Every structure is written in C-alpha cells, then in structure tokens.
C-alpha cells in the first residue's frame, strides 16, 4: 500500500548496485515483444495515454525481472496484474473505505481480491509501480513481513527511466533524512521497529516513520560495498527464517547488522543523501 509520496530529489544516482545493473541489461536485451506479463487495467472515469501504458509495461517488466533474479525463476514474466484506476476521488475513497476502513491512502493492493486500486492523481504512476511490487512479491512470497514488503515496494515505487533506456531508482532523500535525524536525536530503536504490528501501518500518524525505516533498511541492504544483501535475506525469509535469524545469517550477528546500519546513516554513504 502506498502513502502520499515524498517530494522527489532533483537528480537520481547515476550508478546502481549489481542486481540493478543486471536487470537494466535484461530490460534492454528483452525489449522485443516476447514478454508475456499481463496488465489488466480497468479505467473508471479516466483514461491512460499510450505513453503511460508503455511506461507501466517497461517498469512492470523491470520489477518482474527483479523478482525473477531474486527467486531464480521465470514465472514472474507471466504474472497477471489487475488494476482498477479511478478518476474520481470520491469513487476511489468509497472502495478504499469499504476495503480498508481508511480514506487517506492514494492506492493499495488487495491480497483478498488480488487486485490493485489506484486514484489517478499527479503521482499515480509511482503508486502503480509501488503496488505492482506488492502484487508480484505475493506471487513469489505470500507472507512477506510488512517491513520487507513495503521497503521493496517503496524502493521500486520510484523507478525512473533515463534517455538511454536504463531503469534506475530515485533515492528518497526525505526518507533518509527522517531516519538519520531520528537516530541522531536518540529517538530511533531498531528493535521497537520490528515489533510493530501490521495494523500499525494503517495508523496515519505512524506511517511516515514506518515507511522511512523500511525503505532505509532495503536501501542499506543493496548499497553495501562487499555484496548485495537484499536477495539472500529475501530467500532466507521465504524459507521460514525470522527477520532476526535472516540478518544474523547474512551479517554474522544481529549486532553487526545494526552497527553497520547505524554507521551507514551517521558516518557512511547514507549520510550524504
């Protein structure tokens, strides 16, 4: 599910970690009409331009390739993504209230219906990218923890395409600053973060910090110099590892993970965002 997006920074990174380089190559290499992924888009009192549809197809393909790489499969090439896109806020809000008992979210993915519901505002494409990630991840890992599900979706929700047809992600500076400021003020507690319940993510006052933290964890995992940690942690957790055991296996101990995470956002590369 997607909150109202943060303002984007003026420029994105020119470089991206290894898994994203692989996927960018795959996106360019597989640009012929061999892609079988299906988007079923039901527009309600609105329409999508041909450019919007083409962009969605390219970004959806990138996300499918991402999860194919992580889970060593090709099944995501043919996953069906069903979308209801609303042009009238009142109509969308009624659906959102009936489904989630909220009215402040721009879009959401319903696991029960296996469908995405979006209000077509100025940032609706980012919301579509975000919710598509939820849809595809569930196809591979139905019970992903909330922090992991939302962290990856937030990362993929800000994909951009360069003039030479590479797909990159737009680092979310405001999320990083929010977390960094919380760490510096001694307000942040990693253990408390992992104790939040799924219902807490629907509390409007809690959501900004929950999304900032989940995004920053995922951003940290893919931006380590020695290796990409996101893919192995995803695989471990799909096998049944708890969050703590997955971090312990990947980093040697939970303490090592936490120390490196804090250093990344207080003294390392993350401080520059």
């Amino acid at each position: 599910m997607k909150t109202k997006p943060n303002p984007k920074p003026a420029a994105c990174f020119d470089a991206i970690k290894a898994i994203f380089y692989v996927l960018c190559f795959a996106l360019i290499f597989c640009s012929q009409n061999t892609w079988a992924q299906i988007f079923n888009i039901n527009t309600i009192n609105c329409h999508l331009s041909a450019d919007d549809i083409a962009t969605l197809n390219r970004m959806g393909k990138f996300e499918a390739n991402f999860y194919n790489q992580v889970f060593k499969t090709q099944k995501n090439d043919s996953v069906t993504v069903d979308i209801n896109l609303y042009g009238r806020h009142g109509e969308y809000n009624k659906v959102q209230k009936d489904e989630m008992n909220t009215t402040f979210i721009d879009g959401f993915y319903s696991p029960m219906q296996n469908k995405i519901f979006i209000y077509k505002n100025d940032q609706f494409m980012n919301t579509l990218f975000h919710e598509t990630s939820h849809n595809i991840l569930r196809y591979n890992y139905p019970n992903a923890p909330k922090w992991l599900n939302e962290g990856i979706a937030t990362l993929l929700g800000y994909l951009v395409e360069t003039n030479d047809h590479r797909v990159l992600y737009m680092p979310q500076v405001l999320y990083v600053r929010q977390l960094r400021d919380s760490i510096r003020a001694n307000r942040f507690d990693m253990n408390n973060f992992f104790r939040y319940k799924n219902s807490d993510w629907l509390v409007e006052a809690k959501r900004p910090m929950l999304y900032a933290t989940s995004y920053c964890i995922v951003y940290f995992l893919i931006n380590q110099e020695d290796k990409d940690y996101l893919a192995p942690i995803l695989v471990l957790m799909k096998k049944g590892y708890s969050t703590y055991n997955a971090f312990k296996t990947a980093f040697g101990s939970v303490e090592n993970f936490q120390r490196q995470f804090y250093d990344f956002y207080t003294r390392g590369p993350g401080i520059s965002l």
Side-chain angles (χ1 to χ4, degrees), residues 42-61:
N42 180 28
T43 55
I44 303 164
N45 290 312
C46 64
H47 73 279
L48 281 175
S49 69
D51 286 344
D52 286 339
I53 293 171
T55 298
L56 177 59
N57 283 337
R58 289 192 295 272
M59 298 308 184
K61 184 175 182 179

Side-chain angles (χ1 to χ4, degrees), residues 83-102:
I83 301 166
N84 273 12
L85 184 66
Y86 296 84
R88 294 176 181 171
H89 199 238
E91 289 179 330
Y92 166 75
N93 269 350
K94 184 180 185 306
V95 173
Q96 182 187 171
K97 187 172 180 59
D98 290 344
E99 184 80 18
M100 306 174 62
N101 200 31
T102 62

Side-chain angles (χ1 to χ4, degrees), residues 207-221:
R207 286 168 65 84
M209 193 63 200
L210 291 177
Y211 274 85
T213 303
S214 63
Y215 169 80
C216 287
I217 291 173
V218 169
Y219 183 85
F220 162 79
L221 293 175

